Amino acid sequence: MIEVKSLSYLYHPKTPFQTPALNEISFNINPGEIVGLIGPGGSGKSCLLRCLAGILTPTAGEVLIDNRPPQPENVGLIIQEPEVQFFYETVYREIAFALEYRGLNRKLIDRTVSDLLAKFNCLDKIGESPFRLSGGEQRRVAIAGILALNPEILLMDEPTVGLDVKGLELISRIIEEYRSEGKTLVIVSHDLDFLYPRVERYLVLNRGRLIADFAKSDYHHYLELLQEIGLGLPELAELKRRELPVEILQSLMDLGL
Ligand code: ADP
Ligand code: MG
């Protein structure tokens, strides 16, 4: 279980550049929940994911995962352009390093790396430099590296940005796999049409504050609030303007219309 208690985060505290990014945020996420984290640009979504992943340490308050601060092996974070973090000379090492760090035996590491690359259609690149791959291949290898440790909790920051159709299919497949394995997912996306069929619950940030936390079945109650902060599905806003009863609105949304 993820517990976030009165979490605040300041970038560059006690300097002239001090920027409050998160302000007194509290919520829990149960194992197996699939949550959409939404909010306008600059509202603190990426900062919150980094705090959940343990990459940033809260200025105040705390994040606990199963009663402990986040550990890298339990929480995977797919950042917006994960390929910018390539470091090793081969695709193999790029994926193997986290497993090596964990002390797994070589046979198991080799098998895990091959299985992941095969799944992501990149097995033929295993000996190549990650820097020489195409953009799509780089993204797939970077994601494979993050999934190598098979984290119980996966955080995705704008996973659909800059992806082609194949890339989108891959992200959808990962989400479906996590769902069927009962794992926890938190997905940040400005693409509300992408999120809607995939998540069960929404957390809404605005200016570093959590302004709403609701189940998908209550989405229609929050349309106005979402529109006020510049979100909400345009098509749905239009339907609402035409004053369709909320039940019909909800059925249309459930049909993905
Ligand atoms: P979002 O992901 O919702 O667009 P961010 O979490 O990136 O928002 O940013 C939240 C706030 O923190 C914004 O005001 C942003 O300008 C600020 N911020 C983000 N990264 C830094 C940084 N490295 N240094 C200073 N301020 C930052
Ligand atoms: Mg962001």
Side-chain angles (χ1 to χ4, degrees):
M1 163 142 121
I2 304 175
E3 292 170 277
V4 175
K5 300 178 186 173
S6 298
L7 165 65
S8 296
Y9 190 86
L10 283 174
Y11 278 105
H12 315 298
K14 299 183 187 133
T15 74
F17 308 105
Q18 178 166 311
T19 311
L22 297 174
N23 204 328
E24 296 264 332
I25 288 186
S26 300
F27 61 86
N28 291 341
I29 296 179
N30 289 314
E33 276 196 278
I34 302 190
V35 179
L37 174 59
I38 59 177
S43 57
K45 305 180 297 293
S46 297
C47 183
L48 178 54
L49 286 195
R50 288 190 195 116
C51 290
L52 295 181
I55 294 166
L56 294 179
T57 306
T59 311
E62 61 181 348
V63 173
L64 296 176
I65 309 232
D66 297 334
N67 299 313
R68 293 192 303 162
Q71 312 289 314
E73 60 267 32
N74 301 335
V75 190
L77 170 61
I78 299 182
I79 58 170
Q80 216 161 319
E81 291 177 326
E83 56 275 16
V84 301
Q85 293 186 332
F86 283 147
F87 181 74
Y88 293 101
E89 65 282 7
T90 62
V91 165
Y92 173 85
R93 287 293 316 269
E94 203 55 68
I95 297 175
F97 82 92
L99 303 164
E100 286 167 357
Y101 184 75
R102 239 189 167 186
L104 269 65
N105 74 53
R106 182 57 53 191
K107 250 188 162 167
L108 185 56
I109 292 176
D110 287 352
R111 207 178 58 223
T112 307
V113 173
S114 310
D115 286 353
L116 273 166
L117 286 173
K119 187 164 153 188
F120 291 152
N121 278 327
C122 286
L123 188 52
D124 55 327
K125 310 289 183 218
I126 191 164
E128 289 188 24
S129 161
F131 299 99
R132 284 197 212 109
L133 306 178
S134 74
E137 288 162 351
Q138 285 192 337
R139 179 70 61 92
R140 297 204 295 275
V141 167
I143 292 175
I146 295 159
L147 299 185
L149 286 176
N150 201 14
E152 269 310 304
I153 298 170
L154 184 61
L155 315 172
M156 297 178 149
D157 199 350
E158 298 286 3
T160 63
V161 170
L163 282 189
D164 54 9
V165 176
K166 266 195 182 160
L168 271 177
E169 274 170 21
L170 173 67
I171 293 292
S172 296
R173 190 145 57 92
I174 294 169
I175 294 172
E176 280 322 304
E177 233 165 74
Y178 264 66
R179 180 199 311 285
S180 68
E181 288 169 8
K183 293 181 170 182
T184 309
L185 270 165
V186 182
I187 311 168
V188 166
S189 182
H190 68 278
D191 186 346
L192 300 176
D193 294 311
F194 173 81
L195 280 184
Y196 191 78
R198 294 177 172 85
V199 307
E200 301 152 355
R201 172 183 167 193
Y202 288 89
L203 296 173
V204 187
L205 285 182
N206 191 37
R207 298 168 189 263
R209 290 180 187 276
L210 185 66
I211 60 163
D213 175 353
F214 57 90
K216 178 158 79 173
S217 52
D218 287 331
Y219 197 101
H220 52 281
H221 293 310
Y222 290 86
L223 275 177
E224 223 155 284
L225 175 90
L226 295 176
Q227 277 175 263
E228 267 168 36
I229 59 168
L231 302 176
L233 304 175
E235 306 93 294
L236 289 167
E238 176 59 22
L239 289 172
K240 189 161 188 308
R241 203 182 56 73
R242 286 191 235 142
E243 314 252 313
L244 276 179
V246 289
E247 298 76 35
I248 295 186
L249 200 59
Q250 190 64 48
S251 339
L252 288 173
M253 289 170 72
D254 290 339
L255 288 168
L257 300 173

